Amino acid sequence: MSRPLRVLHVASECAPFAKTGGLGDVVGSLPAAQRAQGVDVRVVLPLYRGIDWNAQERLPYTLVVPMGGTTGYCAVRRGHMAHSDAPIYFLEHHRYYDRGGIYGDSRGEFGDNLERFAFLCRAAFALCRAEQFVPDILHAHDWQAALVPVYANTIEWGTEYHGCATVLTVHNLGYQGLFSPSSLPVTGLGREHLNDQEFEHFGALNLLKAGLHHADRISTVSPTYAREMQRPEHGAGLDGVIRARQGKLLGVLNGVDTVVWNPSTDPRIAARYDRDDLRGKAICKEALQRELGLPVRPEVPLYAVVSRLTEQKGLDVLLSILPTLLEWDLQLVVLGTGDPALERGFEIASRQRGDKVRAVLRFDDGMAHRIEAGADFFLMPSRYEPCGMNQMYSMRYGTIPIVHATGGLADTVWNYDERTGDGTGFVMEHLGPRALHDVLGWAQWAYFHRPEHIDRMRRRGMEQPFGWDRSAAMYLRLYHEAYQSRRGHPFFG
Ligand code: ADP
């Protein structure tokens, strides 16, 4: 009798339970697609504050988790993923996870993040033991889970978990989990691992680097980023490490959760619509202008940003040309939090030019949906973008993305051709104030002078197949490769 492939995802985010960005979206939606493919897929996540504890079933055991020099204990609650019966296990450790943020709070990053996420990784193995679940594949996401492939090769040497094949997905090379080398004992690993193949990196302890070294297969979230990350400009100091493992690396474009991001069923927006009938979109635009306190003008183009406000996202470039843009007939809404200088810049513009700009400085999932539905254009001038989710959400909502051709943005947005009206968005080959000014001018021109092209681009964007089917199939192939290389034979079930 054949059995399904068993997969455990280990991650620090999973929508809708805990999300700060695209990582949460992916871990929240890929497992449902894998379940539909017949995979026995499960997820383990810290039980953060804000997750509805009582809605999750408390399991009848306590995990005993060896930590460097001490022992940690945690209870486990089990629930299931949104729109799927795939189980999710929550690690209930109040001291680590019952806090006012996932990685930090208003005072900055938590000082014990190494301990908090080393615990997640070691507890993942303890959980498997308690559940008598031996995964064929351990799928770790980002630096927070990067110790999983390391432990499979070290601490689990000689146990049945040594046979688990490991896949590490890099959602953003800009976050590597850097700590002081003197904190290595927190991981439970000995000093022999502080070498330049594993953890040591320019004098720091680098968790992602060790994970990249130990994982059987590495993936990242778009084909273009898989190429870019091997070059110094986008390698964030790890390009050499990644080049060394080039043959084990695959770029798999993120899929979209087509249940959550669907304008024909979305309960968060003012009116539903689809590509055959866009009248609801005009209602959403009016409702958004009203909600934001902007003049209700159907004819003016409404540009939007929903983003973490960080250097990566290139919004400083937008801010630098804002005075010029505000001479044009347009409106702009920015929803985001992050860098205080950027927050201040958009806040000031919002106060001075309330007739054209609105900055909403918070994390607000419902508003992100209302913006996608109500806007005409969506701006992503990212310096680099491993995949990017919002350009795809925008297209699904008939909102035209304006992007820098990098990473997943280059893989998903097809540039406008003003002769034919082809394309799904506006693409800048290079990012700078001049280029951004010009591409926005081009979008303004098309909006006012080629409305039939704009209309066709909206509908074309709405037709793009951004669901998980193809990408989940690519992950499945990667899992089989990882299994074969770990075990020396194919998975027969
Ligand atoms: P990243 O992972 O680099 O932050 P992505 O484009 O991959 O960027 O994913 C961002 C996700 O986070 C999207 O789902 C986006 O809607 C969401 N998001 C970002 N900022 C906010 C915010 N202030 N309010 C609501 N959602 C946000």
Side-chain angles (χ1 to χ4, degrees), residues 6-23:
R6 299 187 193 118
V7 177
L8 181 71
H9 289 276
V10 185
S12 58
E13 299 186 24
C14 176
F17 305 105
K19 160 174 160 179
T20 69
L23 167 66

Side-chain angles (χ1 to χ4, degrees), residues 335-381:
L335 172 65
T337 57
D339 179 350
L342 291 172
E343 286 192 1
R344 209 168 328 110
F346 287 112
E347 172 78 27
I348 290 170
S350 183
R351 236 179 299 125
Q352 291 177 343
R353 293 305 304 269
D355 58 326
K356 293 194 171 173
V357 183
R358 190 62 76 239
V360 184
L361 304 176
R362 61 171 189 264
F363 195 94
D364 185 336
D365 193 48
M367 177 161 278
H369 284 249
R370 296 195 292 281
I371 288 176
E372 290 293 7
D376 295 297
F377 295 106
F378 195 94
L379 277 170
M380 294 181 80

Side-chain angles (χ1 to χ4, degrees), residues 204-222:
L205 181 80
N206 187 320
L207 264 59
L208 191 64
K209 180 177 179 179
L212 291 169
H213 175 74
H214 280 283
D216 294 309
R217 287 292 183 280
I218 300 166
S219 79
T220 189
V221 290
S222 70

Side-chain angles (χ1 to χ4, degrees), residues 19-25 171-172 175 254 261 306-309 312-313 335-337 360-369 372 378 380 385-391 393:
K19 160 174 160 179
T20 69
L23 167 66
D25 286 338
H171 295 258
N172 190 337
Y175 301 87
N254 286 341
W261 296 94
V306 178
S307 182
R308 292 182 295 118
L309 304 179
Q312 178 201 340
K313 303 293 180 178
L335 172 65
T337 57
V360 184
L361 304 176
R362 61 171 189 264
F363 195 94
D364 185 336
D365 193 48
M367 177 161 278
H369 284 249
E372 290 293 7
F378 195 94
M380 294 181 80
E385 194 59 78
C387 177
M389 300 303 295
N390 277 113
Q391 79 283 10
Y393 301 153

